[in-house]
Amino acid sequence: MLHNDAVTALTTRPGVDSLVIAALRRAGASTSVGVDELLARARRWGPDLEAGVRAVFDGPAADDLVARLAEVVATGWIARPEPLRARDRERLLTPDWFQRPDTVGYVAYADRFAGTLSGVAEHVGYLRELGTTYLHLLPLLQPRPGANDGGYAVADYREVREALGSMADLEKLASTLHDNGIALTIDLVLNHVAREHPWAAAARAGDARYRDYFLLFPDRSVPDAYERTLPEVFPEFAPGNFTWDDEVDGWVWTTFNDYQWDLNWANPDVVCEFADITLFLANRGVDCLRLDAIAFLWKRMGTDSQNQVEVHGLTRALRAVARIAAPSLVFKAEAIVGPAQLVQYLGAGDYAGHVSDLAYHNSLMVQIWSALATRDSRLLVRALEKFPPKPTTTAWATYLRCHDDIGWAIDDADAASVGWSGPAHRAFLSRWYLGDAPDSFARGAAFQVNEATGDSRTSGSAASLVGVEQALEVGDVPMLERAILRLRCAYAIVYGFSGIPLLYMGDELALRNDRSYLNEPEHAGDKRWMHRPRMPWDAAARRHDATTLEGKVFEIVRHLGAVRGSLPALHAAVESAPVLTSNAAVLAVVRRHAAGDLVQLYNVSEDWQRCAAGVLGTLRWRELVDHLGDDVPRIEDGQLVLPPYAATWLGAR
Ligand code: GLC
């Protein structure tokens, strides 16, 4: 039974739509064109906004925050340019745009790809050649001067990094991309701001309001209590999770580098600030926000302070704000966490379909590398088959490489299920990809070796990790051909999994590790710069010459993108199911779809392999076609025969 006061509160509390209309009235905009649609959306997503807020805050604080967010919605919507409102209407008719098989992603630093934002616009043709429909430009907002973690230490969310151009250039680029069928993603760094951000500057100057934007402690007692259960993200160059700051006269929570100050998301002011920033960026024409380091937003004593349920409440509220005011905006969660937690970022239980639309599939990435090193796909299958289904309206962002290192997130229980030890396998993978194993094909570097846990992560470009660098070093042509096939096999898994495949800049040209970062004082201490090369446009010019390395690899990824676009069975509403075959070296990924089943087979080894044809399921061999254009594998004695590193997408003719 609800208490009488609660009943009164429930019946008298205004809904989000009423709050929005009241805010529009105050702004003199309650009769503007499009208000009906806005209010319809407020009725549709208002309950989400409320549910998100009330998952984190209680009583009057929650009521107040709901009202403030409704105000943010109203002002954000008033400021939304008409072409973007038109885009909203279009996207609402195609809410699955990012799930469609013809979605192909490309990820680059604007400066490293093309110098400036207008430079990026000049290379739209190149992106189109690759079938790109989604472009993620790595951090481009104004960072702090000096070291800034590749832009992940933001000093101003409303300005573009000077060297790249201006906000007006960003708007212009977004519009050029839209005209070319490409959606724009940028990073929204939510967990922390730069020590030089005006909020942090005000906190350092002693402003109580802004001190409460951060997690500050007068002495070590509370930090020490937290540290007992906190992991370290950068044990080598930023050990610990707290930094003493003389100006603040206290310890600041700094999960990442000492100049990246974690925000206090328990403060409703912080929530409002980011709701406002979200709409500000959406109104510049950004289509997707990559929610950087989102797993870390909420801290809880006695835990690792990652993946706390409040994170999902906060995402739900922010997403509802965007859905109402700028519904073409989607969210992509960057949560590099274990399999059990990962799916929660797309929504599990009460949050299903109410949080991020996209999330990085970190497990798939790690498992592909593991399968290539071991020539064994069983661990991949074991790890992925345990994944709960994701909401049908969401999609994975699949990838082989990105601007970050590879953390060997192999679950101990998964490893045990194939008879391996988790710690030993993780140690094996970091040694292997370092190139520190007698028969390793890789050339990587160890990143953030943690003496305490023995963990060591890996830096390196895809081409260097699959063996291209080694083959070129020794000048061995068959070895190079093998490395190219290995890269094709890996990228075919990424492109064939459904969701958005993210091609990381340079992989399409088989760019090797770039060690020039060692001569740049700002980057020399961070080995991730080894795989953040500058685009060599002279090498890119060889991309149409099939006799060159660049030409071969470019054609491989271009073709994967083109084929994927033609296959309805790759729509992300349907799950990919990796399944064991009769041979550990052969991975099968099965997609059951109303448009027809698709069975993908990947030989993760350099030898010929066979596997029982039963894996074809409902498909009949006589009617098979390989959509990737290779010959359909022949059958001998009930076994499919697959050449080295075969990658084949089989469907009915
Ligand atoms: C994300 C970024 C990484 C950065 C970190 C802190 O993980 O991908 O590059 O160092 O967040 O912002």
Side-chain angles (χ1 to χ4, degrees), residues 109 138 149 152-153 187 189 192 233-234 256-257 260 290 292-293 296 334 336 402-404 526 528 532:
Y109 285 96
L138 285 151
D149 190 20
Y152 285 102
D187 284 84
V189 185
H192 44 265
V233 179
F234 295 141
F256 295 87
N257 289 289
Q260 289 165 303
R290 172 190 182 276
D292 179 68
F296 296 87
E334 191 250 347
I336 308 306
C402 69
H403 70 291
D404 280 329
D526 186 339
R528 291 177 296 176
R532 297 172 178 175

Side-chain angles (χ1 to χ4, degrees), residues 246-289:
D246 277 339
E247 286 182 39
V248 132
D249 193 25
W251 291 91
V252 187
W253 196 310
T254 53
T255 301
F256 295 87
N257 289 289
D258 54 13
Y259 52 77
Q260 289 165 303
W261 286 21
D262 285 39
L263 287 155
N264 174 18
W265 278 86
N267 177 351
D269 289 355
V270 169
V271 183
C272 289
E273 297 274 15
F274 274 94
D276 207 44
I277 291 169
T278 296
L279 296 186
F280 173 81
L281 295 173
N283 285 350
R284 309 279 79 73
V286 170
D287 299 280
C288 172
L289 288 173

Side-chain angles (χ1 to χ4, degrees), residues 185-209:
T185 297
I186 69 168
D187 284 84
L188 180 62
V189 185
L190 294 164
N191 179 66
H192 44 265
V193 296
R195 183 177 180 274
E196 290 68 22
H197 188 284
W199 304 335
R204 284 190 277 119
D207 184 328
R209 172 184 152 113

